[in-house]
């Protein structure tokens, strides 16, 4: 193993780049109205405060816009014989290992924007409430295949208990 975040012998399956578009639209829908509202309120107090708030909001939006693309490119998963690996993150990298025998059920979800862009999210649930193993940005056919495969592997592994 060359790095602690590399799966031994398994390539990462990356999520769809369309997820970046979905995340950016969500960012625009939430943050632009809030930034405009804050800038207008500060403009009413002092004009230079409103201009400063607008400038900071634009710079922050540009930075987050760029980070979203890198974050989406970092998201991936790998299926191994006994467990599923999920990795993500640019600044703070994370690797989650979910043993198939620990899985209780698998959800597939898709919000309105996800459906518009042909994406779905697979969420794995284990007995540990703190486990956050989700894989967003999958095309629906891949999400269904992964759901069925994980459920079958979970049943086969748990059958031996």
């Amino acid at each position: 193993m060359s790095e602690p975040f590399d799966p031994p012998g398994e390539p990462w399956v990356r999520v769809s780049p369309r997820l970046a578009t979905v995340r950016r639209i969500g960012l625009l829908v939430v943050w632009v109205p809030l930034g405009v509202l804050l800038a207008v309120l500060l403009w009413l107090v002092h004009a230079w405060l409103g201009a400063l708030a607008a400038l900071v909001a634009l710079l922050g939006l540009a930075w987050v816009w760029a980070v979203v693309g890198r974050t989406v490119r970092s998201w991936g998963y790998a299926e191994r014989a006994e467990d599923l690996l999920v990795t993500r993150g640019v600044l703070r990298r994370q690797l989650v290992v979910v043993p198939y025998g620990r899985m209780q059920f698998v959800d597939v979800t898709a919000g309105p924007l996800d459906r518009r862009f042909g994406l779905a999210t697979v969420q794995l649930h284990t007995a540990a409430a703190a486990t956050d193993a989700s894989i967003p940005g999958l095309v629906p056919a891949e999400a269904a295949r992964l759901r069925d495969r994980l459920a079958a592997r979970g049943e086969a592994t748990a059958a031996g208990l």
Side-chain angles (χ1 to χ4, degrees):
M1 181 182 309
S2 62
E3 286 193 34
F5 297 101
D6 291 339
E10 302 289 333
W12 290 114
V13 178
R14 297 296 175 184
V15 300
S16 172
R18 289 180 285 179
L19 180 62
T21 303
V22 170
R23 297 274 166 104
R24 287 174 176 148
I25 290 172
L27 180 75
L28 291 176
V29 167
V30 173
W31 290 107
V32 168
L34 288 176
V36 169
L37 179 65
L38 179 64
V40 168
L41 289 176
L42 290 174
W43 185 277
L44 293 175
V45 175
H46 289 288
W48 65 271
L49 278 177
L52 181 64
L55 178 65
V56 169
L58 283 175
L59 291 174
L61 182 64
W63 184 76
V64 172
W65 191 275
V67 169
V68 165
R70 293 193 64 192
T71 301
V72 166
R73 284 191 300 273
S74 74
W75 213 297
Y77 66 94
E79 296 178 67
R80 297 194 307 184
E82 299 296 323
D83 49 29
L84 177 76
L85 306 174
V86 180
T87 186
R88 66 179 176 182
V90 176
L91 297 175
R92 181 177 165 263
R93 294 181 73 186
Q94 182 179 19
L95 175 67
V96 177
V97 180
V98 181
Y100 296 128
R102 297 287 186 173
M103 286 191 303
Q104 293 188 332
F105 61 97
V106 180
D107 275 344
V108 177
T109 58
L113 269 178
D114 294 328
R115 290 192 306 270
R116 173 71 176 95
F117 284 89
L119 299 174
T121 298
V122 171
Q123 173 82 42
L124 294 97
H125 297 275
T126 66
T131 301
D132 181 20
S134 63
I135 308 168
L138 299 173
V139 295
E142 175 62 10
R145 185 204 66 81
L146 189 60
R147 176 203 60 208
D148 293 344
R149 188 173 172 102
L150 293 175
R153 285 185 167 186
E155 287 176 14
T157 306
L161 296 177

